[in-house]
Amino acid sequence: MDKRELLLEAATKLFVERGLHATPTSAISKEAGVSAGILFHYFKTKDNLIDELYVSIKKEFTAAILNDLDKINSDLGKLRLIWSNSFNWALDNDLKFYFLLQLDNTSCSESVKSHPEIIEKYELFNNIIQQYINKKLIKNMDTHFIMGSMFGLITSMVSYLTQFPEKRNDQVFIEQAWEMYYNYLKP
């Protein structure tokens, strides 16, 4: 792993454990095993590090959500895959997921929401949701509210499966959870 990746990994861990404002760059450098000068070689400021980390993780999360979507023919099957890919990625990448949750609930995220790649991802999901609305597969509501609600339900799923990891492979539970998720969304 290169030094930049070590810094991003260390920052993710420390930001989740300590919080954004309680984590100095010196702690990130120390955790990564590099000098402070190396950190500032890759990231001009702490805010720059936070922004780059957020964009990087958001892109990774989006790619995971859309993984194998083209292999599914039915719209409902695609929605279910988005749902399962979302919570499975979050469970497999818990620190990254908790970092996204943490940052999404701060003013820090405002600066990166205008990043072209983030805008592109939101537009992509907005279009998917709008298609589902047009096909009457989900409620006809504001697409941003629906996306937020979907993410909230996925966050609840992650929280539950973190508490009860044996349920992750319980097909009856997964089926019931999917039905509950879709019942919330369907018209």
Side-chain angles (χ1 to χ4, degrees):
M1 187 178 305
D2 71 6
K3 290 178 182 175
R4 185 178 189 283
E5 288 302 313
L6 288 171
L7 287 163
L8 291 172
E9 187 176 285
T12 304
K13 177 181 180 284
L14 294 176
F15 287 148
V16 169
E17 289 175 357
R18 299 180 180 187
L20 295 172
H21 301 297
T23 305
T25 56
S26 59
I28 296 168
S29 297
K30 183 177 180 182
E31 179 76 22
V34 302
S35 70
I38 295 294
L39 184 143
F40 291 112
H41 169 76
Y42 289 107
F43 310 101
K44 293 177 185 170
T45 65
K46 181 178 171 182
D47 287 342
N48 181 248
L49 168 63
I50 292 168
D51 290 354
E52 287 194 38
L53 182 59
Y54 182 82
V55 170
S56 170
I57 293 174
K58 201 72 154 176
K59 286 170 46 180
E60 180 183 332
F61 183 44
T62 304
I65 290 170
L66 299 174
N67 189 36
D68 292 332
L69 205 60
D70 58 337
K71 295 179 181 177
I72 306 294
N73 292 325
S74 79
D75 290 322
L76 201 52
K78 288 180 182 190
L79 182 60
R80 184 175 176 143
L81 184 61
I82 289 170
W83 170 76
S84 65
N85 283 349
S86 296
F87 74 77
N88 281 308
W89 181 88
L91 291 167
D92 293 339
N93 299 277
D94 58 336
L95 285 177
K96 291 178 180 179
F97 184 71
Y98 291 122
F99 174 77
L100 289 178
L101 286 178
Q102 182 183 36
L103 203 68
D104 279 343
N105 292 308
T106 69
S107 60
C108 297
S109 67
E110 294 306 314
S111 64
V112 293
K113 287 184 179 172
S114 62
H115 189 282
E117 291 177 278
I118 298 299
I119 290 171
E120 178 185 330
K121 300 304 180 193
Y122 278 110
E123 286 176 358
L124 173 67
F125 280 109
N126 188 55
N127 290 338
I128 290 171
I129 298 303
Q130 190 60 57
Q131 288 174 15
Y132 290 160
I133 289 170
N134 294 345
K135 293 178 180 182
K136 300 187 184 335
L137 290 171
I138 62 176
K139 289 177 174 59
N140 185 4
M141 293 183 71
D142 179 81
T143 55
H144 295 285
F145 178 76
I146 290 175
M147 285 188 285
S149 297
M150 291 169 75
F151 188 72
L153 292 169
I154 288 164
T155 301
S156 295
M157 183 77 165
V158 171
S159 178
Y160 181 80
L161 291 175
T162 299
Q163 245 184 323
F164 304 99
E166 70 279 2
K167 293 291 191 177
R168 188 173 182 182
N169 296 314
D170 180 338
Q171 290 307 308
V172 172
F173 167 75
I174 296 296
E175 194 59 38
Q176 289 171 336
W178 162 249
E179 287 177 27
M180 189 173 176
Y181 181 81
Y182 184 61
N183 283 337
Y184 174 80
L185 296 172
K186 73 181 179 182

